[in-house]
Amino acid sequence: MRALFEKLIEDEAELDWFLENVVTEEWHFEHDAGRPLADMLPERKALFPDYADLIDAYATRFLETVPGPVPGTADLIERLAERRIPLFAITNFGAEFWDMFRPTQPVLAHFGDIVVSGIEKLAKPDPAIFKLAAQRFDCVPQDMLLIDDNAANIAAASALDWHVHHFHHAEGLERDLASRGLI
């Protein structure tokens, strides 16, 4: 969120307060879990009327909150696709935001299916989203590798017998994929 709101709030202390109290990660997660913006925005603006324009910016300028691809990851996806490794994804993403974001990432065309939390109304680390994904991808957990930067998501998938990689940077992922014979 900071990437957008630091453009709109000059005072650092106010920016920190805003991100801790108004447009918070917890509030954003509600959209990731399937709550519609049409419900969320008016409710939040009623709580924080002085920040109504900034709350609207969350919805209209959401793409500016996404810092961009992690260096090296698109190359790894391309390499896996070239080897015809089946690629799937599970993402915590609000349904309305996914519709805006998906067209900006052509590399996602390599994925056979993408489970989007906001559409399914299930979000990681809820085990139900991993079970849904395994069913949709027509794979058993023992045959899949979850790559995620969130420790709670890694723990949830691991508990369901998925192979896991706790992502920190592309170089570490590349080494792990090589050790598994995938690239």
Side-chain angles (χ1 to χ4, degrees):
M1 299 299 145
R2 185 171 287 276
L4 167 63
F5 290 108
E6 67 187 4
K7 297 174 190 175
L8 304 174
I9 302 172
E10 291 182 22
D11 180 82
E12 191 74 23
E14 182 182 6
L15 173 62
D16 290 341
W17 183 90
F18 177 82
L19 293 173
E20 290 170 16
N21 295 283
V22 182
V23 175
T24 66
E25 288 297 323
E26 296 79 17
W27 182 70
H28 168 73
F29 185 77
E30 291 179 32
H31 189 50
D32 283 353
R35 192 154 181 241
L37 288 175
D39 295 342
M40 293 175 61
L41 297 174
E43 185 179 283
R44 205 61 166 184
K45 289 192 286 187
L47 288 173
F48 301 99
D50 292 344
Y51 291 100
D53 289 344
L54 292 172
I55 294 166
D56 283 338
Y58 164 79
T60 60
R61 296 177 62 176
F62 178 77
L63 290 181
E64 294 176 61
T65 70
V66 181
V70 176
T73 56
D75 177 60
L76 291 174
I77 293 167
E78 295 288 348
R79 290 168 60 193
L80 289 165
E82 285 172 11
R83 295 207 56 213
R84 300 189 189 280
I85 303 296
L87 298 171
F88 303 99
I90 307 169
T91 185
N92 279 357
F93 226 101
E96 291 108 330
F97 291 157
W98 181 252
D99 290 342
M100 289 189 287
F101 177 76
R102 171 62 185 86
T104 71
Q105 301 299 314
V107 73
L108 295 177
H110 291 300
F111 289 79
D113 194 2
I114 301 173
V115 171
V116 179
S117 63
I119 295 169
E120 303 301 335
K121 298 186 179 5
L122 295 170
K124 298 180 288 183
D126 183 340
I129 198 167
F130 296 106
K131 291 174 184 175
L132 172 68
Q135 193 173 47
R136 284 250 308 263
F137 304 159
D138 195 25
C139 295
V140 295
Q142 299 82 359
D143 291 343
M144 292 187 287
L145 169 64
L146 177 78
I147 302 162
D148 203 295
D149 64 349
N150 182 298
N153 298 342
I154 290 293
S158 183
L160 295 170
D161 294 326
W162 290 54
H163 296 272
V164 294
H165 174 88
H166 191 177
F167 182 86
H168 297 286
H169 47 75
E171 296 81 13
L173 176 56
E174 182 177 24
R175 285 191 299 276
D176 188 13
L177 293 172
S179 76
R180 296 172 190 271
L182 295 172
I183 57 170

